[in-house]
């Protein structure tokens, strides 16, 4: 099992590669293993997103959707607490390290959103928009407010 130190912003984990991180913040301390299990981009992502909700709109010119299937397993949680995660716990950046603006979109079911105790899993889809010319967008989980830390994953196969 690779650790968070194996990968970085400049070398995000490929799709299918799990990483583990311990988060210690005002909500408490927990350890989670996360994996992007599948990544769709362009027409295939838009087809699924369009079908998910009639109010989802096509991406703006020169942009396209990235649809990710993500799996998070709660390895441990302090004081037997439930850990709640959703797609807003992730940020997406372009290949030149600028954060993309978040676009409101309803992801296909199951959406990545839920709570789990130690040993439990949260699995589902999350959607972002990226530039059609961006060769390698990436997502980060557990990034500190100043941009340090976190575990990075490639958002494309």
């Amino acid at each position: 099992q690779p650790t968070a130190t194996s990968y970085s912003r400049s070398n995000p984990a490929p799709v299918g590669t799990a990483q583990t991180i311990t988060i210690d913040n005002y909500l408490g301390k927990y350890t989670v293993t996360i994996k992007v299990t599948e990544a769709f981009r362009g027409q295939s992502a838009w087809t699924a997103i369009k079908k998910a909700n009639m109010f989802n709109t096509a991406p703006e010119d020169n942009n396209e959707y990235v649809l990710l299937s993500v799996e998070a397993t709660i390895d441990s949680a302090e004081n037997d607490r439930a850990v709640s995660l959703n797609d807003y716990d992730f940020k997406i950046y372009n290949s030149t390290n600028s954060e993309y603006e978040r676009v409101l979109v309803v992801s296909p079911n199951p959406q990545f959103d839920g709570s789990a105790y130690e040993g439990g899993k949260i699995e589902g889809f999350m959607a972002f928009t990226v530039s059609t010319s961006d060769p390698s967008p990436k997502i980060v989980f557990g990034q500190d407010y100043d941009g340090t830390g976190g575990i990075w994953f490639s958002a494309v196969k």
Side-chain angles (χ1 to χ4, degrees), residues 16-156:
T17 303
Q19 293 189 81
T20 302
I21 187 171
T22 298
I23 302 292
D24 192 353
N25 61 24
Y26 64 95
L27 294 172
K29 186 174 181 178
Y30 65 93
T31 301
V32 60
T33 299
I34 297 175
K35 176 168 53 173
V36 175
T37 56
E38 195 65 64
F40 305 95
R41 185 173 182 170
Q43 190 57 49
S44 62
W46 169 229
T47 300
I49 288 166
K50 188 175 176 181
K51 199 158 75 172
N53 187 300
M54 63 187 270
F55 297 108
N56 282 335
T57 57
E60 292 181 7
D61 286 352
N62 303 314
N63 284 281
E64 63 188 353
Y65 283 109
V66 168
L67 182 62
L68 304 175
S69 175
V70 177
E71 177 183 287
T73 302
I74 309 305
D75 300 315
S76 66
E78 204 171 56
N79 303 321
D80 193 38
R81 78 176 188 87
V83 176
S84 296
L85 300 174
N86 63 49
D87 60 342
Y88 280 92
D89 292 308
F90 294 79
K91 291 182 177 181
I92 188 163
Y93 285 79
N94 66 22
S95 52
T96 55
N97 301 311
S98 295
E99 186 178 353
Y100 277 109
E101 192 176 319
R102 176 75 62 153
V103 175
L104 286 178
V105 58
V106 177
S107 298
N109 286 327
Q111 295 169 12
F112 185 85
D113 185 12
S115 294
Y117 288 96
E118 189 172 308
K121 273 187 186 178
I122 301 164
E123 299 177 77
F125 289 104
M126 57 180 74
F128 302 96
T129 56
V130 300
S131 168
T132 52
S133 63
D134 187 354
S136 51
K138 53 204 168 190
I139 62 169
V140 61
F141 172 84
Q143 183 182 51
D144 290 328
Y145 66 93
D146 64 356
T148 59
I151 49 177
W152 293 83
F153 299 89
S154 175
V156 290

